[in-house]
Structure formats: C-alpha cells, structure tokens
Amino acid sequence: MIEDKNQPKTSLGNLGEFGLIEHLTKNFDIKHSTTVKGIGDDAAVLDFNKKVLISTDLLVEGIHFDLSYMPLKHLGYKAIMVNLSDIYAMNATASQVTVSIAVSNRFPLEALEELYEGIYLAAKIYNIDVIGGDTTSSNKGLLISVTAIGEAEEDKICYRNGAKVNDLLVVTGDIGAAYMGLQVLEREKQVFKANPNNQPDLDQYNYLIERQLKPEARKDIPKLLADLEVQPTSMIDISDGLSSEIMHLCKQSEVGCNLFEEKIPLDPQLISVCEEFNIDSTTIALSGGEDYELLFTISQDDYPKIKANPNLTVIGHMTNASEGMHLITRGNEKVELKAQGWNALKNNEGE
Amino acid sequence: MIEDKNQPKTSLGNLGEFGLIEHLTKNFDIKHSTTVKGIGDDAAVLDFNKKVLISTDLLVEGIHFDLSYMPLKHLGYKAIMVNLSDIYAMNATASQVTVSIAVSNRFPLEALEELYEGIYLAAKIYNIDVIGGDTTSSNKGLLISVTAIGEAEEDKICYRNGAKVNDLLVVTGDIGAAYMGLQVLEREKQVFKANPNNQPDLDQYNYLIERQLKPEARKDIPKLLADLEVQPTSMIDISDGLSSEIMHLCKQSEVGCNLFEEKIPLDPQLISVCEEFNIDSTTIALSGGEDYELLFTISQDDYPKIKANPNLTVIGHMTNASEGMHLITRGNEKVELKAQGWNALKNNEGE
C-alpha cells in the first residue's frame, strides 16, 4: 500500500522528451482500422464513417488521487476508465485515446513505466488505440490529461436532454462503493502514519477498494442495450454522485423526477461498511461519486426488455418539471434532491 | 508588463465546476457544421466526411510560460496556436478544440476570464469551435491542456516521413524571433526586479516580443499550397527549433539534408538584437524554437510554383541518408546538424 523506496530510478532528464514518449509507448499496437496514423507525427489521423465523439478529463495529484495509496499502474488504468466512461455515456463505442502527462523530476522513469503499464492494460482490455499525447515537466506532482475518441451511428447517440415525462430512470451496477473505498483507504493512511508497522487486513473491504482504485467503465452497456433493442432517451455517467447526475438529466431534459430510496442498488459490503463508519448509505449513494456506472432513461414501453437484467435497476421515473426533483424515502417521505457531489474546486486549499 | 495587483477578485470556490465551465464558455458559438454537439454533455459529437486529425499539447506554468510577463489573454491565444499549428503541419484544416485547465486557488475568476478571452479571440480569428474541456484545481499554478481536431482529404495529408532525395526544403516566414523575444522579456524581468520604477522602452523589440507572446499559427499555408497546386512530400511545424525539426523529417523519411546558412530567413530585428546580445543569429534560428512556422519538402518540379512567393523560402535540399544532415555555412564549411532544441524535461529543476 505504501510506496516502495527501493525501486530502481532512472532520471527523466537523461531521456529527453522524444526518447520518453517513444520509450513509454513502444508496445502500444494499433487495433482499429479507423486509426490511420497514431503516435509519431504532428497529429494523429483517423477515419470514421459514423459520428465522432470526443471527451477530455484532467486528473491532478493531490486533487483527484493520492499516490500514497494509489499504485501508479492503477492510476494509469483509472485515467483511461474515467474518459472511456464519458464516451459510453453517449451510448457510443470508444476507439482511441490521447494521453498527456506533466510530471515533476521526483518521478523516475520506472514510475512512468508503471503508469503506462496501467494505460496499456486498459487499452488492451477495452480495445483502445493510444494515438498521441504530450509529455512535459511540472513544478509539482503528476497530472494526466486524457482525450477519448469514439464513434456511433447518429440515431444511437444519447444526449442528456432527451428524457421525457413518465420515462423510467435506470442505473447500471451498484452505487456508492468507490466513495467508501476511498474512506477506508484514507483511514488506513492515518493508521499507517501513527503506526508504520501495522499491517492492515483489508479483505473485508476488497470490493470497495477495487471500485476506488481500479474502476471499470461500462463498455458492455451500449452493446447490451443494442442487443435488447432499447434506445435510451437520455444518458450520463456517474462520476460525481447519483444525485448530481440525476439533476443534470432533469435540468437538460426539462423534466422532474421521483427517485425511490429502496430501489437504489447497494452492494452488501457498502451497507456493512456504512454501518461501521456510522454513515447513511443512501447519502453515500447520492453524493459519493467515482462509480462510473451509467444512468439513463427509457420509455416505459421498453420496461419488459430490461426488467430481467441483473445489470440494470429501475430506480425512479421522470415527472413534469413543475413537480421538482425528489427522493421518496423508505418511510415514504418526499425529500427534495440536492446536488452534493464532490466538488474539485471547493474542496481544495491549494496555493 | 507586471501583474496589476488591483484587479477584481472572485473566488473560484464560490462558483463550483459546472458554474465555471458554463460561465467561461457562454459566448463561444458554434461555427462548423461538423460540430453536431459542443460543450454540455459527456462528450462532443462531430461529423466528418474527410479524415480526422487529432493533436494535443500541455502548457505548464513555470515550464512553458511565466505569468510575470505573459498576459493571460495572450497565454490563452498562444495555447490555441500551439495546437492548431500541429494540425496545419499535417496540411489540414483545423476545426475544433477542447480546452482543459487545472488552476490553483490563487487565481480569481477574473484571471480565468482573461485567459478565455484569448481563447475566444483565437477561436474567432482561426474559425474554431471550442467543443469541450475540463476545469479542475491544481495544488500549484496553472496548466492548460488543449486537444485540436481538424480534417483533410486523405491525399492532401502530409506526414513527416514522405521526403525524397533531391526534394527541396522550404520554410515559411522567418525563424528565431520568438526565442529572442523571450530573452528580451527575461532581461527586462531582471531589470524590473532590480528597479521596479524603471519603465522599459521595448519598441525596438516589438516584433520579437509579439512572436513570443502572441504567435500566429500558419493557417494560411495549407490553403496557399492548395492554390499553388503544390503537394508537399513531408511537413512539420517548428516548435522546437529548425535543427531539431529538420532532423525529425530526415530520420522519419530516411534521407539526409544540406541546409544553407545564408538562406535561413531572419527578420532584421532578430539580427540586430542578436548583435546586441552578442549571440550568433544562426544558432538562434537553429535551436530557438516556438516560431510555429511550417517546414516542408517539395519535389524540385514544384519549385517554379513557389519561387516568387514571399511566404516561402527554400533553405536546402534532401540528400541520401548516408550523406548525413549538414549545415553549409556562409564560409562554405560543412557542419553536422545537431538537435539542440529546447528540452522541457531537461531544463526543469522542479520538485
């Protein structure tokens, strides 16, 4: 869990920028016929018949990740997941990424190799071409900027603004685990600081920690929906917390929503750790973030097509905008939904 | 030249991430029919008939720019130029960008508004749609990540690897001015530190300083070459210094090169400031960088089509790879070319 101080160290300064990119990406093969030219020129060249999707995200050390418990390989993997998730959230196929890093001299070459191992693994599993990027210095810490590129037929693309009154609200997988994984890791970091010889037993938190450190983007969902012949009316990925994402769909679609507390899918490990931490699991599900599940709406007519599927849970329905956005609690109370998602700008006390 | 301490300050924390993106990009209109959906969903949606070009760059405070003499508006403009230049260097048309920033709490909203004014201006002048991005915190300083997207017919795209023996080596504009502009600004910064009341007269350095602070990408060149019916055999943009870029073309095309010192186009202001600084102007042209001119090769048969054009200067010719890469000096000496371009990773002494 804690950094190994005995790793081999090769100074980045000795390699130079061109040597570094070449070195880090030499094992990255091209998998898509849409990639005409990848790394190695002023720009990559792509060839699409369908519509092209582009999304980009920044991950900053000390803001989005803490290297004291985030292995670099997992970080590389997660950086790709975060971006692919945005493409899948358009009901599209992801095909390429560019990866840029800014890195301080405190990182040896071996650290970047580890980071790129994770990127390589993600690209392999998710069938993605790494087609370019930039590698430069930072004055402090590590920053990763990924741009993901995908494709879709025009009539398959799901925007955030297509939800209609009476549509069903559906979520994939389960929610809240990634956030509680982070809480467990933060607690263990404090324990480690107090007593570095303590070897924590984290087995009972395995699922939560994996959701935090090595999330998987829902590549399977656009394909599943196509197989089920379901075209969602709106879609978004859950990066900031369920509540905040529902509000995005409602506002952009100009509808309201009733979300049923008892329907929100929670993993048993999440429920037990919430009891241990004495936190309400619904609050975590609503505000936790980083689950990278998909949230979408479908016409009620499509309900029979999805009802038996273990990947998909109906958690509510859309209403008239004038009815507002509400959580219906287990006690049948109607509580107004509030966005309390993790806010990268407000939580930081940087320079 | 030096930061105005009395500017209004609105804390970024009060806005939140969604408010910030919306606020900064609300005046950005869509100019291209290829932009189906811009900012505001999980991903942008684009629609191309031609091949798609993608390029990405990171600019880091303290590494690529110094805010003590770089106005934020110019920085925004330059961040776009640096990326468009890569698309033009493929002999292509640039059409969209994504812009992500990581920013510490030391920057008020007004600073980001100024940065985005420069981005807006660049997008307007260069006819570019800003289609997305990410805004987050950094622990230190400002970082800008831009991904540029363009299009071209397949047979118009120029790679770095197509130069042939006997092709002519052609450069646009003039070279070295941006680097000497930086030297002048660095000198004035030192003078200002020693005597803050000193008001420098920088008129005689205007061209050099503008080349450094507000470079222009050569959008005009792909169009000019099409009008002249010239299809370059290879092309690259000059970001790192002429010498380093020539070596990229030679290595990737597997050819050698003779570059003629007397042919390298230098602005009179560059020559006079090099005398003042007692630096050899050829050294600056070869190693300076940040000119964002284009360097390309053409068949000798095309020479009549370009010879009268004031934008284009033939500076050498390609040879067999076995003959190596050489500068032919004014004194008719043959000196081996070396890449001494600015190396972002080696020059930095960060944490």
Side-chain angles (χ1 to χ4, degrees):
Chain A
M1 180 168 150
I2 304 298
E3 208 178 342
D4 173 11
K5 301 293 183 198
N6 297 319
Q7 56 188 330
K9 292 190 175 176
T10 307
S11 163
L12 294 180
N14 297 336
L15 270 162
E17 191 186 346
F18 306 115
L20 184 57
I21 292 174
E22 213 172 283
H23 179 86
L24 293 172
T25 60
K26 62 174 182 250
N27 295 324
F28 286 63
D29 51 335
I30 295 297
K31 308 168 188 83
H32 289 269
S33 62
T34 54
T35 305
V36 181
K37 169 79 185 178
I39 291 164
D41 217 299
D42 292 292
V45 181
L46 308 177
D47 180 17
F48 292 102
N49 292 317
K50 303 177 186 176
K51 296 290 174 283
V52 179
L53 290 296
I54 308 251
S55 182
T56 190
D57 267 304
L58 277 182
L59 294 181
V60 182
E61 183 180 355
I63 310 293
H64 301 97
F65 57 89
D66 181 336
L67 289 177
S68 66
Y69 49 72
M70 177 58 120
L72 281 160
K73 188 174 172 182
H74 286 54
L75 178 62
Y77 193 90
K78 184 169 178 173
I80 303 300
M81 288 308 114
V82 171
N83 279 275
L84 298 187
S85 182
D86 282 320
I87 301 295
Y88 302 141
M90 304 297 288
N91 200 29
T93 307
S95 44
Q96 288 94 359
V97 293
T98 66
V99 182
S100 295
I101 55 173
V103 65
S104 76
N105 284 353
R106 111 172 182 248
F107 291 86
L109 174 63
E110 287 73 15
L112 296 190
E113 286 175 341
E114 209 187 312
L115 181 76
Y116 270 76
E117 262 179 55
I119 293 168
Y120 179 81
L121 186 65
K124 190 175 169 189
I125 294 175
Y126 283 76
N127 194 33
I128 300 294
D129 292 340
V130 178
I131 57 161
D134 193 11
T135 311
T136 186
S137 298
S138 80
N139 282 317
K140 192 176 177 192
L142 174 64
L143 183 144
I144 309 173
S145 173
V146 177
T147 297
I149 300 134
E151 58 178 327
E153 298 288 355
E154 183 162 25
D155 59 357
K156 292 289 180 197
I157 295 174
C158 284
Y159 295 99
R160 294 176 178 176
N161 65 0
K164 302 274 176 289
V165 175
N166 295 328
D167 278 358
L168 298 176
L169 184 65
V170 184
V171 70
T172 64
D174 59 78
I175 304 294
Y179 181 83
M180 285 315 291
L182 182 63
Q183 301 314 306
V184 170
L185 288 165
E186 290 280 0
R187 184 179 66 180
E188 293 308 319
K189 184 182 173 183
Q190 299 310 321
V191 170
F192 180 86
K193 274 185 185 167
N195 179 6
N197 293 320
N198 185 54
Q199 284 297 326
D201 177 9
L202 297 174
D203 276 0
Q204 61 183 306
Y205 310 113
N206 265 353
Y207 176 69
L208 307 179
I209 291 172
E210 192 169 330
R211 292 283 280 179
Q212 171 58 223
L213 295 185
K214 193 169 173 284
E216 303 288 347
R218 297 306 305 248
K219 182 191 181 188
D220 56 326
I221 298 300
K223 188 180 177 307
L224 174 68
L225 292 171
D227 290 348
L228 296 173
E229 294 178 3
V230 173
Q231 174 65 23
T233 52
S234 69
M235 196 187 274
I236 193 168
D237 75 323
I238 303 179
S239 52
D240 280 318
L242 183 59
S243 179
S244 158
E245 312 301 358
I246 290 175
M247 293 175 74
H248 279 302
L249 290 188
C250 285
K251 282 184 182 166
Q252 294 204 27
S253 299
E254 297 178 357
V255 294
C257 175
N258 285 327
L259 167 69
F260 294 89
E261 183 181 18
E262 62 180 354
K263 301 290 187 189
I264 300 173
L266 305 176
D267 188 84
Q269 214 174 77
L270 175 76
I271 295 170
S272 92
V273 85
C274 280
E275 280 168 12
E276 185 189 334
F277 277 69
N278 201 20
I279 308 180
D280 176 43
S281 58
T282 301
T283 304
I284 298 306
L286 289 177
S287 307
E290 294 204 275
D291 291 311
Y292 302 108
E293 295 292 343
L294 296 177
L295 177 74
F296 56 92
T297 53
I298 61 169
S299 160
Q300 292 213 8
D301 299 343
D302 284 333
Y303 177 65
K305 300 180 191 166
I306 69 148
K307 72 175 175 182
N309 199 293
N311 289 292
L312 308 175
T313 309
V314 176
I315 56 173
H317 60 259
M318 309 321 259
T319 62
N320 272 310
S322 61
E323 294 178 42
M325 298 170 279
H326 291 95
L327 176 73
I328 315 297
T329 68
R330 286 195 186 83
N332 211 24
E333 277 183 285
K334 206 168 177 178
V335 185
E336 200 182 336
L337 270 189
K338 284 188 180 135
Q340 294 169 315
W342 182 77
N343 185 326
L345 284 163
K346 211 154 186 174
N347 294 345
N348 175 43
E349 298 295 324
E351 182 191 335
Chain B
M1 181 166 149
I2 305 297
E3 211 178 340
D4 173 10
K5 301 290 182 199
N6 296 319
Q7 55 188 331
K9 291 190 178 176
T10 307
S11 162
L12 294 181
N14 296 336
L15 271 162
E17 191 185 347
F18 307 116
L20 183 57
I21 292 174
E22 213 172 282
H23 180 88
L24 292 173
T25 60
K26 62 175 182 246
N27 296 322
F28 286 63
D29 51 336
I30 295 296
K31 307 168 189 82
H32 289 268
S33 63
T34 53
T35 306
V36 180
K37 170 79 185 177
I39 291 165
D41 217 299
D42 292 291
V45 181
L46 309 177
D47 181 17
F48 292 103
N49 291 317
K50 303 176 186 175
K51 295 290 173 285
V52 180
L53 290 295
I54 309 251
S55 181
T56 190
D57 267 303
L58 279 181
L59 294 182
V60 182
E61 183 179 355
I63 310 291
H64 301 98
F65 56 88
D66 181 337
L67 289 176
S68 65
Y69 49 71
M70 176 59 118
L72 281 159
K73 188 174 171 182
H74 284 54
L75 178 62
Y77 193 89
K78 184 168 177 173
I80 303 301
M81 288 308 114
V82 169
N83 279 274
L84 298 187
S85 182
D86 282 320
I87 301 295
Y88 302 142
M90 304 297 287
N91 201 30
T93 307
S95 44
Q96 288 93 0
V97 292
T98 66
V99 182
S100 295
I101 55 173
V103 65
S104 76
N105 284 352
R106 113 175 180 247
F107 291 86
L109 175 63
E110 288 72 15
L112 295 190
E113 287 176 340
E114 209 188 312
L115 181 76
Y116 270 76
E117 263 179 53
I119 293 168
Y120 180 82
L121 186 66
K124 189 175 168 190
I125 294 176
Y126 283 77
N127 193 34
I128 300 294
D129 291 341
V130 179
I131 56 162
D134 193 11
T135 311
T136 187
S137 299
S138 81
N139 282 318
K140 193 177 176 190
L142 174 63
L143 183 144
I144 309 172
S145 173
V146 178
T147 297
I149 300 136
E151 59 179 326
E153 298 288 354
E154 183 162 25
D155 59 356
K156 292 290 180 195
I157 295 174
C158 284
Y159 295 99
R160 294 177 177 176
N161 65 1
K164 301 275 177 290
V165 175
N166 293 328
D167 278 357
L168 298 176
L169 184 65
V170 184
V171 71
T172 64
D174 59 79
I175 304 295
Y179 182 83
M180 286 315 292
L182 181 63
Q183 300 316 305
V184 169
L185 289 165
E186 289 281 0
R187 185 178 67 181
E188 293 308 318
K189 184 182 173 183
Q190 298 311 321
V191 170
F192 180 86
K193 274 186 184 166
N195 179 6
N197 293 319
N198 184 53
Q199 284 298 325
D201 177 8
L202 297 174
D203 277 1
Q204 60 183 307
Y205 309 113
N206 266 351
Y207 177 69
L208 307 180
I209 291 171
E210 193 170 329
R211 291 283 280 180
Q212 171 59 224
L213 296 184
K214 193 169 172 286
E216 303 289 347
R218 297 305 306 251
K219 182 190 180 190
D220 56 325
I221 298 299
K223 188 180 177 307
L224 174 68
L225 292 171
D227 290 348
L228 296 174
E229 295 178 2
V230 172
Q231 175 63 25
T233 52
S234 69
M235 196 188 274
I236 194 169
D237 76 322
I238 302 178
S239 52
D240 280 317
L242 183 60
S243 178
S244 159
E245 311 302 357
I246 290 175
M247 292 175 74
H248 279 303
L249 290 188
C250 286
K251 282 183 182 168
Q252 294 203 27
S253 299
E254 298 178 355
V255 294
C257 175
N258 286 326
L259 166 68
F260 294 89
E261 183 180 17
E262 63 180 354
K263 302 290 187 189
I264 299 172
L266 305 176
D267 186 84
Q269 214 173 78
L270 174 76
I271 296 169
S272 91
V273 86
C274 280
E275 281 168 12
E276 186 189 333
F277 277 69
N278 200 19
I279 308 180
D280 176 43
S281 58
T282 301
T283 304
I284 299 306
L286 289 176
S287 306
E290 293 203 277
D291 291 310
Y292 302 108
E293 295 292 343
L294 296 177
L295 177 74
F296 56 92
T297 53
I298 60 168
S299 159
Q300 292 214 7
D301 299 342
D302 283 333
Y303 177 65
K305 300 179 190 166
I306 68 147
K307 72 175 177 183
N309 199 293
N311 288 293
L312 308 176
T313 309
V314 177
I315 56 173
H317 61 260
M318 309 322 259
T319 62
N320 271 310
S322 61
E323 293 177 43
M325 299 171 279
H326 290 95
L327 174 74
I328 315 296
T329 68
R330 286 195 187 84
N332 212 24
E333 276 183 286
K334 206 167 178 178
V335 184
E336 200 183 337
L337 270 188
K338 284 188 182 135
Q340 294 168 316
W342 182 77
N343 184 327
L345 284 164
K346 210 152 186 176
N347 293 344
N348 175 43
E349 299 296 324
E351 181 193 337

